[in-house]
Amino acid sequence: NCIPCPEGKMSAEGSAECTIPATCPAGQEPTSPTECSPCPVNTSRNSTASNSSLTENCIPCPEGKMSAEGSAECTIPATCPAGQEPTSPTECSPCPVNTSRNSTASNSSLTENCIPCPE
């Protein structure tokens, strides 16, 4: 006889054990009744999601914020402040010595670098 899985666990059809989590953790979304995937870049999910509901997807970040893959929250500014340049789509670094930037720079554009100071 089959027995019910304990709370918080699931099993695939024909399984001998209940080894599948019943929910996806924050930062992931259900992609099938038995699988979770990390939230894509620039989306987030800050709560658990039921694996049985394939509609509890990660949501897009609000304007002005970004996220890395698998994020529970959108905490990365979408622009680098003056004095910094984008070093990846999700990171800013201070301008190197003898360079400057007096305006914001989009993190999605890795070409808006700090410029050399005049001699």
Side-chain angles (χ1 to χ4, degrees):
N1 285 337
C2 295
I3 58 170
C5 290
E7 187 171 333
K9 294 288 185 180
M10 297 172 42
S11 67
E13 186 175 347
S15 291
E17 296 181 18
C18 300
T19 57
I20 302 167
T23 58
C24 296
Q28 295 189 13
E29 63 186 357
T31 52
S32 79
T34 59
E35 293 181 354
C36 301
S37 290
C39 289
V41 170
N42 294 330
T43 67
S44 69
R45 177 156 203 80
N46 63 6
S47 62
T48 59
S50 169
N51 278 5
S52 61
S53 171
L54 297 179
T55 60
E56 296 184 54
N57 297 328
C58 301
I59 56 172
C61 292
E63 188 173 333
K65 294 287 184 178
M66 298 171 63
S67 69
E69 181 181 58
S71 293
E73 295 184 21
C74 298
T75 57
I76 302 167
T79 57
C80 296
Q84 295 189 9
E85 64 185 0
T87 52
S88 79
T90 58
E91 294 180 349
C92 301
S93 290
C95 288
V97 173
N98 295 325
T99 67
S100 67
R101 175 160 204 82
N102 63 4
S103 62
T104 60
S106 170
N107 276 4
S108 61
S109 171
L110 297 179
T111 60
E112 297 184 54
N113 296 328
C114 299
I115 55 173
C117 295
E119 297 210 12

